Amino acid sequence: MRNRLLVTALLAFSGWSGAALPNPCKLLSAAEVQGLYGRKVDAGQLETGDAMSKCEFGHASGGLMVMVGPRSMLQGKSLKSLVETSDLPGLIHAVPKLGDEAYAGANSALAVEGQPKTLTSAASVFVRKGPYVLMVISLVNGKGPSEAALIKLTQRAVTRLR
């Protein structure tokens, strides 16, 4: 499940050319992400490309991915249309007052890849604000943070998105 979510997230941002994008590792600090999980996280690892910028904050059982892409990736469509065509679970409701447009959701699933069964938790927030699209995804083997906690953390990132 984790790999499917990561592939979907990356595909969502592929194929669009973006100008200089904000550094997603400067939108949240490791200490803020650590507060989400209640455990130590690695310093954010930045990856940049033509279509997006991505920062990963990892820990032993998962982590947080923060991605920023240009609004042009929506090709004139709404953020809702991108969310509806992705296979990220639970992204079905709007989040008011988070940006120009925002959606969030969370899901847990039992994965059987041998014994024992593993609970995988995912929570995601998509935000369109001004010229940018921001995506924040938490993936954890085990119980992950609540959707509400991820939205609150995403609010901090949105205030720094310039």
Side-chain angles (χ1 to χ4, degrees), residues 1-3 5-6 30 33-34 36-45 55-66 118-123 137-145 150:
M1 178 183 194
R2 181 172 193 238
N3 289 336
L5 291 173
L6 291 175
V33 175
Q34 183 173 321
L36 179 71
Y37 293 110
R39 66 181 94 165
K40 186 175 180 351
V41 298
D42 299 331
Q45 298 297 310
C55 186
E56 288 192 53
F57 298 90
H59 59 76
S61 60
L64 187 80
M65 196 171 20
V66 180
T118 305
L119 176 69
T120 301
S121 301
I137 300 175
S138 170
L139 297 166
V140 177
N141 287 326
K143 187 175 185 310
L150 187 63

mmCIF file of all heavy atoms in Angstrom, residues 1-3 5-6 30 33-34 36-45 55-66 118-123 137-145 150:
data_model
loop_
_atom_site.group_PDB
_atom_site.id
_atom_site.type_symbol
_atom_site.label_atom_id
_atom_site.label_comp_id
_atom_site.label_asym_id
_atom_site.label_seq_id
_atom_site.Cartn_x
_atom_site.Cartn_y
_atom_site.Cartn_z
ATOM 1 N N MET A 1 0.822 -1.194 0.000
ATOM 2 C CA MET A 1 0.000 0.000 0.000
ATOM 3 C C MET A 1 0.863 1.254 0.000
ATOM 4 O O MET A 1 0.594 2.185 -0.727
ATOM 5 C CB MET A 1 -0.927 -0.013 1.205
ATOM 6 C CG MET A 1 -1.780 1.224 1.306
ATOM 7 S SD MET A 1 -2.774 1.157 2.796
ATOM 8 C CE MET A 1 -3.909 2.432 2.436
ATOM 9 N N ARG A 2 1.924 1.264 0.805
ATOM 10 C CA ARG A 2 2.783 2.447 0.893
ATOM 11 C C ARG A 2 3.370 2.775 -0.467
ATOM 12 O O ARG A 2 3.362 3.922 -0.904
ATOM 13 C CB ARG A 2 3.886 2.222 1.918
ATOM 14 C CG ARG A 2 4.782 3.437 2.040
ATOM 15 C CD ARG A 2 5.751 3.294 3.194
ATOM 16 N NE ARG A 2 6.348 4.587 3.428
ATOM 17 C CZ ARG A 2 7.640 4.827 3.389
ATOM 18 N NH1 ARG A 2 8.478 3.861 3.166
ATOM 19 N NH2 ARG A 2 8.105 6.033 3.599
ATOM 20 N N ASN A 3 3.891 1.763 -1.158
ATOM 21 C CA ASN A 3 4.484 2.020 -2.467
ATOM 22 C C ASN A 3 3.452 2.540 -3.452
ATOM 23 O O ASN A 3 3.744 3.409 -4.254
ATOM 24 C CB ASN A 3 5.142 0.759 -3.007
ATOM 25 C CG ASN A 3 6.395 0.411 -2.235
ATOM 26 O OD1 ASN A 3 7.009 1.276 -1.633
ATOM 27 N ND2 ASN A 3 6.758 -0.845 -2.247
ATOM 28 N N LEU A 5 0.820 4.353 -2.776
ATOM 29 C CA LEU A 5 0.556 5.752 -2.445
ATOM 30 C C LEU A 5 1.691 6.650 -2.912
ATOM 31 O O LEU A 5 1.454 7.726 -3.449
ATOM 32 C CB LEU A 5 0.349 5.913 -0.943
ATOM 33 C CG LEU A 5 -0.931 5.306 -0.380
ATOM 34 C CD1 LEU A 5 -0.915 5.387 1.132
ATOM 35 C CD2 LEU A 5 -2.147 6.017 -0.931
ATOM 36 N N LEU A 6 2.917 6.215 -2.715
ATOM 37 C CA LEU A 6 4.055 7.023 -3.142
ATOM 38 C C LEU A 6 4.081 7.167 -4.651
ATOM 39 O O LEU A 6 4.308 8.259 -5.174
ATOM 40 C CB LEU A 6 5.357 6.393 -2.651
ATOM 41 C CG LEU A 6 5.588 6.446 -1.149
ATOM 42 C CD1 LEU A 6 6.861 5.686 -0.796
ATOM 43 C CD2 LEU A 6 5.675 7.869 -0.655
ATOM 44 N N ALA A 30 11.733 19.787 11.225
ATOM 45 C CA ALA A 30 11.764 18.421 11.758
ATOM 46 C C ALA A 30 11.093 18.369 13.127
ATOM 47 O O ALA A 30 10.398 17.404 13.453
ATOM 48 C CB ALA A 30 13.200 17.909 11.829
ATOM 49 N N VAL A 33 7.328 18.226 12.638
ATOM 50 C CA VAL A 33 6.929 16.896 12.172
ATOM 51 C C VAL A 33 7.058 15.892 13.315
ATOM 52 O O VAL A 33 6.205 15.019 13.487
ATOM 53 C CB VAL A 33 7.755 16.468 10.941
ATOM 54 C CG1 VAL A 33 7.429 15.043 10.534
ATOM 55 C CG2 VAL A 33 7.519 17.440 9.778
ATOM 56 N N GLN A 34 8.100 16.019 14.103
ATOM 57 C CA GLN A 34 8.280 15.154 15.267
ATOM 58 C C GLN A 34 7.080 15.262 16.206
ATOM 59 O O GLN A 34 6.620 14.266 16.758
ATOM 60 C CB GLN A 34 9.565 15.526 15.998
ATOM 61 C CG GLN A 34 9.879 14.642 17.182
ATOM 62 C CD GLN A 34 11.252 14.955 17.755
ATOM 63 O OE1 GLN A 34 12.198 15.211 17.012
ATOM 64 N NE2 GLN A 34 11.354 14.935 19.057
ATOM 65 N N LEU A 36 4.055 15.760 15.353
ATOM 66 C CA LEU A 36 2.958 15.022 14.745
ATOM 67 C C LEU A 36 3.012 13.545 15.129
ATOM 68 O O LEU A 36 1.999 12.936 15.422
ATOM 69 C CB LEU A 36 3.006 15.173 13.227
ATOM 70 C CG LEU A 36 1.930 14.439 12.423
ATOM 71 C CD1 LEU A 36 0.569 15.102 12.630
ATOM 72 C CD2 LEU A 36 2.297 14.436 10.949
ATOM 73 N N TYR A 37 4.218 12.995 15.133
ATOM 74 C CA TYR A 37 4.385 11.560 15.374
ATOM 75 C C TYR A 37 4.704 11.212 16.824
ATOM 76 O O TYR A 37 4.588 10.059 17.219
ATOM 77 C CB TYR A 37 5.486 11.000 14.469
ATOM 78 C CG TYR A 37 5.116 11.035 13.017
ATOM 79 C CD1 TYR A 37 5.740 11.902 12.139
ATOM 80 C CD2 TYR A 37 4.117 10.198 12.521
ATOM 81 C CE1 TYR A 37 5.389 11.936 10.801
ATOM 82 C CE2 TYR A 37 3.764 10.229 11.185
ATOM 83 C CZ TYR A 37 4.409 11.099 10.326
ATOM 84 O OH TYR A 37 4.054 11.137 9.002
ATOM 85 N N GLY A 38 5.169 12.195 17.580
ATOM 86 C CA GLY A 38 5.548 11.905 18.960
ATOM 87 C C GLY A 38 6.809 11.069 19.057
ATOM 88 O O GLY A 38 7.041 10.392 20.052
ATOM 89 N N ARG A 39 7.621 11.122 18.018
ATOM 90 C CA ARG A 39 8.905 10.414 18.011
ATOM 91 C C ARG A 39 9.873 11.150 17.098
ATOM 92 O O ARG A 39 9.475 11.947 16.263
ATOM 93 C CB ARG A 39 8.745 8.967 17.572
ATOM 94 C CG ARG A 39 8.311 8.828 16.117
ATOM 95 C CD ARG A 39 8.134 7.398 15.710
ATOM 96 N NE ARG A 39 6.727 7.061 15.906
ATOM 97 C CZ ARG A 39 6.156 6.008 15.401
ATOM 98 N NH1 ARG A 39 6.856 5.157 14.702
ATOM 99 N NH2 ARG A 39 4.897 5.773 15.593
ATOM 100 N N LYS A 40 11.145 10.880 17.278
ATOM 101 C CA LYS A 40 12.187 11.546 16.504
ATOM 102 C C LYS A 40 12.043 11.224 15.012
ATOM 103 O O LYS A 40 11.789 10.095 14.638
ATOM 104 C CB LYS A 40 13.560 11.095 16.999
ATOM 105 C CG LYS A 40 14.714 11.830 16.349
ATOM 106 C CD LYS A 40 16.018 11.401 16.987
ATOM 107 C CE LYS A 40 17.259 12.035 16.448
ATOM 108 N NZ LYS A 40 17.268 12.836 15.305
ATOM 109 N N VAL A 41 12.202 12.257 14.206
ATOM 110 C CA VAL A 41 12.201 12.084 12.759
ATOM 111 C C VAL A 41 13.530 12.569 12.208
ATOM 112 O O VAL A 41 14.205 13.404 12.821
ATOM 113 C CB VAL A 41 11.032 12.830 12.064
ATOM 114 C CG1 VAL A 41 9.695 12.311 12.531
ATOM 115 C CG2 VAL A 41 11.143 14.324 12.242
ATOM 116 N N ASP A 42 13.884 12.053 11.060
ATOM 117 C CA ASP A 42 15.098 12.505 10.382
ATOM 118 C C ASP A 42 14.887 13.913 9.845
ATOM 119 O O ASP A 42 13.751 14.313 9.557
ATOM 120 C CB ASP A 42 15.431 11.580 9.209
ATOM 121 C CG ASP A 42 15.680 10.145 9.640
ATOM 122 O OD1 ASP A 42 16.144 9.930 10.782
ATOM 123 O OD2 ASP A 42 15.402 9.233 8.833
ATOM 124 N N ALA A 43 15.966 14.648 9.700
ATOM 125 C CA ALA A 43 15.895 15.964 9.067
ATOM 126 C C ALA A 43 15.315 15.783 7.666
ATOM 127 O O ALA A 43 15.514 14.739 7.027
ATOM 128 C CB ALA A 43 17.280 16.587 8.993
ATOM 129 N N GLY A 44 14.587 16.763 7.192
ATOM 130 C CA GLY A 44 13.972 16.665 5.873
ATOM 131 C C GLY A 44 14.998 16.484 4.773
ATOM 132 O O GLY A 44 16.031 17.157 4.755
ATOM 133 N N GLN A 45 14.703 15.562 3.860
ATOM 134 C CA GLN A 45 15.560 15.294 2.707
ATOM 135 C C GLN A 45 14.900 15.879 1.466
ATOM 136 O O GLN A 45 13.824 15.447 1.062
ATOM 137 C CB GLN A 45 15.770 13.787 2.531
ATOM 138 C CG GLN A 45 16.464 13.130 3.709
ATOM 139 C CD GLN A 45 17.871 13.662 3.914
ATOM 140 O OE1 GLN A 45 18.672 13.734 2.988
ATOM 141 N NE2 GLN A 45 18.158 14.067 5.138
ATOM 142 N N CYS A 55 10.039 16.966 -0.023
ATOM 143 C CA CYS A 55 10.825 16.827 1.191
ATOM 144 C C CYS A 55 10.257 15.651 1.982
ATOM 145 O O CYS A 55 9.046 15.574 2.182
ATOM 146 C CB CYS A 55 10.756 18.100 2.032
ATOM 147 S SG CYS A 55 11.837 18.066 3.477
ATOM 148 N N GLU A 56 11.138 14.747 2.410
ATOM 149 C CA GLU A 56 10.708 13.597 3.201
ATOM 150 C C GLU A 56 11.313 13.668 4.590
ATOM 151 O O GLU A 56 12.518 13.862 4.735
ATOM 152 C CB GLU A 56 11.119 12.297 2.527
ATOM 153 C CG GLU A 56 10.309 11.988 1.295
ATOM 154 C CD GLU A 56 10.533 10.568 0.795
ATOM 155 O OE1 GLU A 56 10.384 9.626 1.607
ATOM 156 O OE2 GLU A 56 10.842 10.439 -0.392
ATOM 157 N N PHE A 57 10.439 13.521 5.589
ATOM 158 C CA PHE A 57 10.831 13.424 6.988
ATOM 159 C C PHE A 57 10.529 11.989 7.409
ATOM 160 O O PHE A 57 9.358 11.627 7.546
ATOM 161 C CB PHE A 57 10.024 14.394 7.858
ATOM 162 C CG PHE A 57 10.214 15.847 7.525
ATOM 163 C CD1 PHE A 57 9.403 16.478 6.597
ATOM 164 C CD2 PHE A 57 11.210 16.577 8.162
ATOM 165 C CE1 PHE A 57 9.572 17.824 6.301
ATOM 166 C CE2 PHE A 57 11.386 17.927 7.878
ATOM 167 C CZ PHE A 57 10.566 18.546 6.944
ATOM 168 N N GLY A 58 11.553 11.170 7.585
ATOM 169 C CA GLY A 58 11.323 9.764 7.880
ATOM 170 C C GLY A 58 11.556 9.408 9.332
ATOM 171 O O GLY A 58 12.229 10.121 10.072
ATOM 172 N N HIS A 59 10.970 8.298 9.723
ATOM 173 C CA HIS A 59 11.245 7.669 11.011
ATOM 174 C C HIS A 59 11.145 6.165 10.806
ATOM 175 O O HIS A 59 10.868 5.699 9.696
ATOM 176 C CB HIS A 59 10.323 8.189 12.129
ATOM 177 C CG HIS A 59 8.859 8.000 11.891
ATOM 178 N ND1 HIS A 59 8.226 6.798 12.035
ATOM 179 C CD2 HIS A 59 7.908 8.885 11.510
ATOM 180 C CE1 HIS A 59 6.940 6.936 11.760
ATOM 181 N NE2 HIS A 59 6.724 8.201 11.432
ATOM 182 N N ALA A 60 11.394 5.392 11.844
ATOM 183 C CA ALA A 60 11.519 3.936 11.725
ATOM 184 C C ALA A 60 10.318 3.261 11.075
ATOM 185 O O ALA A 60 10.485 2.266 10.371
ATOM 186 C CB ALA A 60 11.782 3.326 13.101
ATOM 187 N N SER A 61 9.106 3.776 11.273
ATOM 188 C CA SER A 61 7.938 3.073 10.736
ATOM 189 C C SER A 61 7.176 3.873 9.673
ATOM 190 O O SER A 61 6.034 3.566 9.374
ATOM 191 C CB SER A 61 6.989 2.677 11.870
ATOM 192 O OG SER A 61 6.550 3.811 12.568
ATOM 193 N N GLY A 62 7.797 4.868 9.095
ATOM 194 C CA GLY A 62 7.130 5.621 8.034
ATOM 195 C C GLY A 62 7.651 7.027 7.943
ATOM 196 O O GLY A 62 8.855 7.262 8.056
ATOM 197 N N GLY A 63 6.732 7.972 7.764
ATOM 198 C CA GLY A 63 7.163 9.356 7.705
ATOM 199 C C GLY A 63 6.183 10.253 6.986
ATOM 200 O O GLY A 63 5.051 9.866 6.687
ATOM 201 N N LEU A 64 6.653 11.455 6.725
ATOM 202 C CA LEU A 64 5.849 12.500 6.120
ATOM 203 C C LEU A 64 6.518 12.974 4.846
ATOM 204 O O LEU A 64 7.735 13.173 4.811
ATOM 205 C CB LEU A 64 5.711 13.684 7.091
ATOM 206 C CG LEU A 64 4.768 14.783 6.654
ATOM 207 C CD1 LEU A 64 3.328 14.367 6.953
ATOM 208 C CD2 LEU A 64 5.094 16.080 7.374
ATOM 209 N N MET A 65 5.711 13.154 3.810
ATOM 210 C CA MET A 65 6.191 13.672 2.548
ATOM 211 C C MET A 65 5.469 14.989 2.279
ATOM 212 O O MET A 65 4.240 15.060 2.387
ATOM 213 C CB MET A 65 5.869 12.665 1.435
ATOM 214 C CG MET A 65 6.609 12.889 0.182
ATOM 215 S SD MET A 65 6.448 11.556 -1.058
ATOM 216 C CE MET A 65 4.990 10.669 -0.620
ATOM 217 N N VAL A 66 6.244 16.035 1.986
ATOM 218 C CA VAL A 66 5.701 17.357 1.661
ATOM 219 C C VAL A 66 6.127 17.661 0.230
ATOM 220 O O VAL A 66 7.318 17.654 -0.072
ATOM 221 C CB VAL A 66 6.251 18.438 2.625
ATOM 222 C CG1 VAL A 66 5.686 19.805 2.275
ATOM 223 C CG2 VAL A 66 5.959 18.078 4.074
ATOM 224 N N THR A 118 0.023 -6.396 8.972
ATOM 225 C CA THR A 118 0.543 -5.076 9.310
ATOM 226 C C THR A 118 -0.504 -4.013 9.029
ATOM 227 O O THR A 118 -1.041 -3.952 7.927
ATOM 228 C CB THR A 118 1.819 -4.761 8.489
ATOM 229 O OG1 THR A 118 2.770 -5.790 8.695
ATOM 230 C CG2 THR A 118 2.403 -3.427 8.875
ATOM 231 N N LEU A 119 -0.770 -3.185 10.014
ATOM 232 C CA LEU A 119 -1.662 -2.046 9.838
ATOM 233 C C LEU A 119 -0.864 -0.919 9.191
ATOM 234 O O LEU A 119 0.229 -0.575 9.640
ATOM 235 C CB LEU A 119 -2.212 -1.578 11.186
ATOM 236 C CG LEU A 119 -3.086 -0.329 11.143
ATOM 237 C CD1 LEU A 119 -4.412 -0.631 10.443
ATOM 238 C CD2 LEU A 119 -3.329 0.207 12.543
ATOM 239 N N THR A 120 -1.391 -0.372 8.117
ATOM 240 C CA THR A 120 -0.776 0.777 7.466
ATOM 241 C C THR A 120 -1.767 1.928 7.532
ATOM 242 O O THR A 120 -2.925 1.771 7.155
ATOM 243 C CB THR A 120 -0.427 0.473 5.998
ATOM 244 O OG1 THR A 120 0.471 -0.628 5.965
ATOM 245 C CG2 THR A 120 0.217 1.671 5.333
ATOM 246 N N SER A 121 -1.311 3.070 8.033
ATOM 247 C CA SER A 121 -2.161 4.252 8.156
ATOM 248 C C SER A 121 -1.680 5.334 7.206
ATOM 249 O O SER A 121 -0.482 5.584 7.100
ATOM 250 C CB SER A 121 -2.113 4.797 9.589
ATOM 251 O OG SER A 121 -2.544 3.832 10.506
ATOM 252 N N ALA A 122 -2.629 5.958 6.525
ATOM 253 C CA ALA A 122 -2.311 7.044 5.604
ATOM 254 C C ALA A 122 -3.251 8.210 5.869
ATOM 255 O O ALA A 122 -4.434 8.018 6.124
ATOM 256 C CB ALA A 122 -2.469 6.577 4.158
ATOM 257 N N ALA A 123 -2.696 9.401 5.838
ATOM 258 C CA ALA A 123 -3.490 10.627 5.908
ATOM 259 C C ALA A 123 -2.884 11.597 4.901
ATOM 260 O O ALA A 123 -1.655 11.662 4.766
ATOM 261 C CB ALA A 123 -3.473 11.215 7.317
ATOM 262 N N ILE A 137 1.557 14.163 2.871
ATOM 263 C CA ILE A 137 1.117 12.775 3.032
ATOM 264 C C ILE A 137 1.879 12.128 4.177
ATOM 265 O O ILE A 137 3.108 12.158 4.217
ATOM 266 C CB ILE A 137 1.355 11.948 1.756
ATOM 267 C CG1 ILE A 137 0.591 12.542 0.588
ATOM 268 C CG2 ILE A 137 0.953 10.489 1.967
ATOM 269 C CD1 ILE A 137 0.865 11.856 -0.731
ATOM 270 N N SER A 138 1.131 11.528 5.091
ATOM 271 C CA SER A 138 1.715 10.739 6.174
ATOM 272 C C SER A 138 1.439 9.272 5.891
ATOM 273 O O SER A 138 0.292 8.886 5.643
ATOM 274 C CB SER A 138 1.078 11.133 7.515
ATOM 275 O OG SER A 138 1.474 10.220 8.518
ATOM 276 N N LEU A 139 2.490 8.461 5.909
ATOM 277 C CA LEU A 139 2.375 7.015 5.734
ATOM 278 C C LEU A 139 3.094 6.348 6.884
ATOM 279 O O LEU A 139 4.279 6.617 7.117
ATOM 280 C CB LEU A 139 3.007 6.582 4.414
ATOM 281 C CG LEU A 139 2.351 7.141 3.161
ATOM 282 C CD1 LEU A 139 3.245 6.927 1.955
ATOM 283 C CD2 LEU A 139 1.003 6.496 2.944
ATOM 284 N N VAL A 140 2.384 5.477 7.604
ATOM 285 C CA VAL A 140 2.952 4.849 8.789
ATOM 286 C C VAL A 140 2.550 3.386 8.836
ATOM 287 O O VAL A 140 1.378 3.055 8.623
ATOM 288 C CB VAL A 140 2.451 5.553 10.080
ATOM 289 C CG1 VAL A 140 2.982 4.873 11.317
ATOM 290 C CG2 VAL A 140 2.841 7.027 10.072
ATOM 291 N N ASN A 141 3.506 2.521 9.131
ATOM 292 C CA ASN A 141 3.190 1.139 9.455
ATOM 293 C C ASN A 141 2.785 1.143 10.921
ATOM 294 O O ASN A 141 3.610 1.391 11.787
ATOM 295 C CB ASN A 141 4.386 0.212 9.230
ATOM 296 C CG ASN A 141 4.649 0.001 7.760
ATOM 297 O OD1 ASN A 141 3.733 -0.027 6.960
ATOM 298 N ND2 ASN A 141 5.907 -0.134 7.397
ATOM 299 N N GLY A 142 1.509 0.895 11.175
ATOM 300 C CA GLY A 142 0.957 1.002 12.520
ATOM 301 C C GLY A 142 -0.034 2.142 12.558
ATOM 302 O O GLY A 142 -0.478 2.647 11.529
ATOM 303 N N LYS A 143 -0.360 2.581 13.749
ATOM 304 C CA LYS A 143 -1.313 3.680 13.912
ATOM 305 C C LYS A 143 -0.604 5.002 13.638
ATOM 306 O O LYS A 143 0.408 5.314 14.246
ATOM 307 C CB LYS A 143 -1.882 3.667 15.331
ATOM 308 C CG LYS A 143 -3.001 4.668 15.530
ATOM 309 C CD LYS A 143 -3.594 4.522 16.920
ATOM 310 C CE LYS A 143 -4.790 5.389 17.155
ATOM 311 N NZ LYS A 143 -4.695 6.769 16.830
ATOM 312 N N GLY A 144 -1.148 5.759 12.722
ATOM 313 C CA GLY A 144 -0.560 7.046 12.366
ATOM 314 C C GLY A 144 -1.306 8.203 12.980
ATOM 315 O O GLY A 144 -2.274 8.020 13.718
ATOM 316 N N PRO A 145 -0.878 9.413 12.676
ATOM 317 C CA PRO A 145 -1.539 10.598 13.213
ATOM 318 C C PRO A 145 -2.942 10.744 12.627
ATOM 319 O O PRO A 145 -3.236 10.236 11.547
ATOM 320 C CB PRO A 145 -0.636 11.744 12.776
ATOM 321 C CG PRO A 145 0.090 11.227 11.595
ATOM 322 C CD PRO A 145 0.232 9.753 11.803
ATOM 323 N N LEU A 150 -2.921 16.183 11.020
ATOM 324 C CA LEU A 150 -2.208 16.472 9.773
ATOM 325 C C LEU A 150 -2.699 17.783 9.166
ATOM 326 O O LEU A 150 -1.903 18.565 8.647
ATOM 327 C CB LEU A 150 -2.351 15.321 8.780
ATOM 328 C CG LEU A 150 -1.498 15.455 7.521
ATOM 329 C CD1 LEU A 150 -0.004 15.455 7.867
ATOM 330 C CD2 LEU A 150 -1.813 14.343 6.536
#
